[in-house]
Amino acid sequence: MSHTPEPDDDYDLDLDAGAPPQPVFHVEQALLGALLLDPRRLGDLTGITADSFSTAAHTAVFAAISTLPPPAPDEHVKNATWLDLVLTTARQQARGLTASDLHALVQVCPWPRHAPAYARMDEAEHARRRLAAAADRLAHTVHDASLPDPVQTVLTEADALATVVDDIAARFPPRAGALPRTPAPPPPAALGYMEAIEEERLLLATATAYPAGIEAVPWLLPGDLVVPLHAGLWQCLTALARRQEPVDPVTVLWEAQQRGLLDDGSDPGEVLQMLAQPAASVEHWAERALQRSLLTTADHTAQRITACAGDLTNTPFQLVVGTRRALADIGAVRTRWQHATTPVPPPRPAPTTRAGPPTTTVAHTARPVRAAR
């Protein structure tokens, strides 16, 4: 095996020369070293591919090992012919790879027979990276202002993330202590916060002016509104409508006082003024609020999954549990969104009454009563 270094050597077995590599880097080295020492061990591995490795160089070496025919065991211990083929093939993807690098992989492998255990560890880390990448795509979609249909695109990414989770769950069965230990990050600020404030004001004012519209939006919850006072006022409106009591700015203000919503120093006059400026329809502003709630929930879900995936103490199944719990929040808002945006089918016409069958027998006539003799 040639030891001549390349003048354009751009390969480094380390991920970052300025920081020590993570444990998975050493696991990958041990796995590749085991396969270089005993290529037959490749047949003992399941669920691992070239994409399972964290560096381009490791990926290239594994791809070469897995595509080249394994050497005869007795020949492999006598010469480095097969290792030369691995080096030549791998350098098509990692041109800076040298013979010394392959020697280093061999030297760091403790036991070649432990290759399946190394592969399982590498697969677990690959699962972590897959989840992190899927969560990053979800977060990117949430913040992409150029999307013509942001909700549908976000839901598609959420479904793709769920597919990744299902695949990981199939590979890693449940274990004890499945709950992730990673603390959840704080909820993010609502998307378009200033715009949300104005739209929520219009929602409350329009619902006050046209309380009949409140019944048409049962899918909107107080938690969908970003301002606590607005959420409380929506509760006042829905309570008054449910009790069939008069609804106007004054009755809503009184209900707000009864619920303690003005205890934070809110100016009653400003509340009255806000409730007196309706526009458009209740359904329009409610749907806008629900859409923002769904996107904000998706953003928080992505952050939670990213935090779990970044916590190296979590096992693959803990990642599955944590991710599914986070996705359940999107699912809850998604159900209400579908209810809000699904057209109501027109009522079915009442069936027409069919005429009875025609009478084919002659009506019987009453027999004459014989006179008594």
Side-chain angles (χ1 to χ4, degrees), residues 143 149 156 173-174 185 190 225 227 234 256 290 292 322 329 331 363:
H143 292 278
D149 189 353
T156 299
L225 307 186
V227 181
W234 182 252
L290 184 58
R292 182 175 291 104
D329 292 344

Side-chain angles (χ1 to χ4, degrees), residues 152-185:
Q152 187 55 50
T153 308
V154 165
L155 293 179
T156 299
E157 285 297 338
D159 290 340
L161 202 159
T163 300
V164 173
V165 176
D166 291 342
D167 182 60
I168 295 173
R171 293 290 304 159
F172 294 90
R175 294 178 57 184
L179 294 178
R181 297 180 290 268
T182 310

